[in-house]
Amino acid sequence: MEHKGLRFTKMHGLGNDFVVIDAINQHFDPTPENVRRLADRHRGIGCDQLLLVEPAEGGEADFRYRIFNADGGEVGQCGNGARCFARFVVDHGLASGPEIRVETISGPMRLRLEPDGPVCVDMGVPRFEPAEIPFDAPARTKSYALEVGGEQYEIGAVSMGNPHAVLRVDDVDEAPVARLGPLIEAHPRFPQRVNVGFMQIVSPRHVRLRVFERGAGETQACGSGACAAVAIGRDRGWLEEAVAVDLTGGGLMIRWEGEGKSLRMTGPATTVYEGRVA
Ligand SMILES: N[C@H](CCC[C@H](N)C(=O)O)C(=O)O
């Protein structure tokens, strides 16, 4: 395999798993083919996303944070990955923490290692304008009617630095994730495709969520998806400022004061093993 000897760390955030590579002290060329090869669960290491740690390109940031889906595509946000990124750079002596500033292709982020292990991420301001998502709609509304496979579905749409569509369901365990996820992910009204969340509202402070991720399929957790679900739920008046989000792989705490304010996510980051490509 190309990149013989490449060092990597296998990590996960609530079962959303990552290959993390220090691209400051070693060379890795993130072509779609190279990413797909490492992400392959049978012939490679296996992951939902591959995360690169690169030098910051100037300005306030300490690092550049790059995210690639298992399908090889580079994207602008990964919330679970951001928590693992913070844990990685401190554990590998690249930063002292607790506060770490990163730049991504969709903008700056601030990460903070809490003393007892969790990581708090400032995920930025949710963007609801269709053009910012991007989503093909004449104007921003609280919800949109989406025609999928001959049926109409009511969705919310928002960007957390990556595009999200969220549907409200009565019971996530019964949600048609496998059927609707791929159809909405590739829906023509989302020109860059979209992550698809299925949200069950348990109370104004507690939701259950499953996410069919763009470029990766259903994952055990999606950090930006949890943020998107809370942003949309709060915009609809269903949720309060602090919401516990239960995903298949575990729980995140999301806080959002509302329109125009940054949204914050707190949760775990776990290192599984260190490895080298043979
Ligand atoms: N599939 C996402 C990237 C990873 C997001 C997710 N793993 C998270 O924790 O936010 C996208 O294509 O925008």
Side-chain angles (χ1 to χ4, degrees), residues 16 18 48-49 67 69 75-81 123 162-164 195 213-216 219 221-225:
N16 179 201
F18 310 108
D48 292 327
Q49 281 87 30
I67 303 136
N69 281 319
V75 293
Q77 180 58 279
C78 179
N80 289 322
M123 294 288 288
N162 59 346
H164 289 269
N195 299 284
E213 286 197 31
R214 175 179 61 171
T219 56
C222 180
S224 57

Side-chain angles (χ1 to χ4, degrees), residues 73-149:
E74 182 166 10
V75 293
Q77 180 58 279
C78 179
N80 289 322
R83 301 197 310 275
C84 290
F85 188 104
R87 165 71 54 223
F88 178 93
V89 295
V90 170
D91 289 355
H92 287 77
L94 298 173
S96 53
E99 180 104 18
I100 293 145
R101 294 159 303 176
V102 301
E103 63 193 17
T104 70
I105 58 174
S106 60
M109 291 169 77
R110 280 184 301 124
L111 322 176
R112 180 175 182 76
L113 284 166
E114 303 301 335
D116 52 345
V119 184
C120 180
V121 181
D122 177 337
M123 294 288 288
V125 177
R127 305 283 179 202
F128 288 92
E129 285 303 318
E132 294 179 300
I133 295 173
F135 176 50
D136 177 11
R140 169 189 170 168
T141 52
K142 294 274 183 194
S143 69
Y144 304 91
L146 196 71
E147 162 102 21
V148 187

Side-chain angles (χ1 to χ4, degrees), residues 8 10 19 37-41 43-47 273 277:
F8 65 86
K10 189 73 196 313
V19 168
R37 195 179 301 145
L38 292 186
D40 187 303
R41 294 192 183 283
R43 299 170 183 267
I45 305 161
C47 61
Y273 62 86
V277 172

Side-chain angles (χ1 to χ4, degrees), residues 157-175:
V158 70
S159 172
M160 293 307 306
N162 59 346
H164 289 269
V166 178
L167 292 79
R168 183 172 180 177
V169 295
D170 294 334
D171 179 350
V172 287
D173 298 328
E174 306 299 322

